[in-house]
Amino acid sequence: QVWFKGTYVSEGTLPKGSAWARYPVPRNDTMQTGKSFAPSCEENPGCGDEARESRCFCSGMWGPYNLEIVDKVLIPSDLPSGDYVLGWRWDCEESNQIWTSCSDVTVVSSRMSN
């Protein structure tokens, strides 16, 4: 596992009160554009910029593969129990793509009833 601090923005976001998180894995195509940001962790020596089967930990044009990025969502303690929809979107930093997704979520009280 590789752990790193996330980069979040909450000022000037829409809708108001929302937050944006930067995808922490740079495309690492400095040979093409020269504009990729620095990796979020110490990179593997010999990490290739464009190799499809790269050995990169936290950057790469075609990987790293088997990557899982985990974020935690803080649920307000006063949120009533019920069924909700959690929605999110990804805005690609280095291309003109936007991806959206959603999930059904059931919130139940954590209080034990006697």
Side-chain angles (χ1 to χ4, degrees), residues 17-86:
S18 64
W20 294 82
R22 181 176 79 180
Y23 178 71
V25 180
R27 188 169 136 187
N28 197 11
D29 69 341
T30 53
M31 294 174 65
Q32 289 182 332
T33 66
K35 297 183 182 197
S36 59
F37 57 89
S40 300
C41 73
E42 186 175 333
E43 190 52 90
N44 182 19
C47 169
D49 283 353
E50 297 182 9
R52 286 186 185 253
E53 299 296 328
S54 73
R55 295 170 295 156
C56 302
F57 291 132
C58 52
S59 67
M61 184 107 163
W62 297 102
Y65 296 102
N66 298 322
L67 175 71
E68 293 180 12
I69 297 175
V70 178
D71 254 333
K72 295 182 179 182
V73 177
L74 181 62
I75 309 256
S77 61
D78 60 347
L79 184 70
S81 296
D83 293 327
Y84 294 88
V85 175
L86 174 66

Side-chain angles (χ1 to χ4, degrees), residues 108-114:
V108 295
S109 174
S110 63
R111 295 186 185 118
M112 301 292 280
S113 56
N114 294 341

